Amino acid sequence: MYRSKFESESCDLLFDAILTLKNREECYRLFEDLCTIHELEVLSQRMAVARLLNEQMTYQDIAQKTQASTATICRINRALNYGSDGYRLVLERMEDKNHV
């Protein structure tokens, strides 16, 4: 079983709450209450960068498209290649869902 270095009772509570969400509207409702606009923009940008890296887009094109810094793009690329496979897991599931 995977053990995260972030694992805590409060993280468990947050993730359990997220796992109860049933659709995009419910996600918007929770995250609007949970996050500031800036926090949600940063999280959204990271997911977009991960998707574009997964599609083999260049750093320059990703930076232009997402307004992410090359440092952010590099960090996400490192997570994609050497991280806990969280990005890959969700990207593959999203791709599978779109191809069904």
Side-chain angles (χ1 to χ4, degrees):
M1 182 172 165
Y2 178 78
R3 300 285 295 186
S4 171
K5 59 187 167 192
F6 298 113
E7 194 168 320
S8 69
E9 190 175 319
S10 58
C11 275
D12 287 350
L13 177 64
L14 171 63
F15 298 150
D16 288 345
I18 291 169
L19 289 168
T20 69
L21 300 173
K22 296 179 181 164
N23 56 47
R24 189 177 291 159
E25 179 188 342
E26 289 183 2
C27 289
Y28 273 105
R29 291 171 66 181
L30 175 64
F31 281 89
E32 188 173 323
D33 288 347
L34 188 63
C35 300
T36 65
I37 292 170
H38 178 71
E39 290 167 337
L40 191 53
E41 287 172 344
V42 168
L43 292 171
S44 301
Q45 181 188 63
R46 288 178 185 176
M47 199 66 232
V49 168
R51 182 178 53 86
L52 295 172
L53 282 167
N54 198 52
E55 294 173 359
Q56 308 298 313
M57 192 175 277
T58 66
Y59 278 31
Q60 182 178 351
D61 290 340
I62 293 170
Q64 188 173 35
K65 185 172 179 110
T66 65
Q67 304 302 305
S69 69
T70 54
T72 296
I73 297 167
C74 183
R75 180 184 176 281
I76 294 166
N77 191 51
R78 189 169 43 252
L80 276 168
N81 291 308
Y82 307 107
S84 301
D85 290 329
Y87 281 122
R88 292 230 184 270
L89 177 71
V90 298
L91 289 169
E92 287 173 7
R93 286 183 181 169
M94 290 168 59
E95 187 175 301
D96 289 346
K97 186 177 178 181
N98 289 333
H99 285 48
V100 171

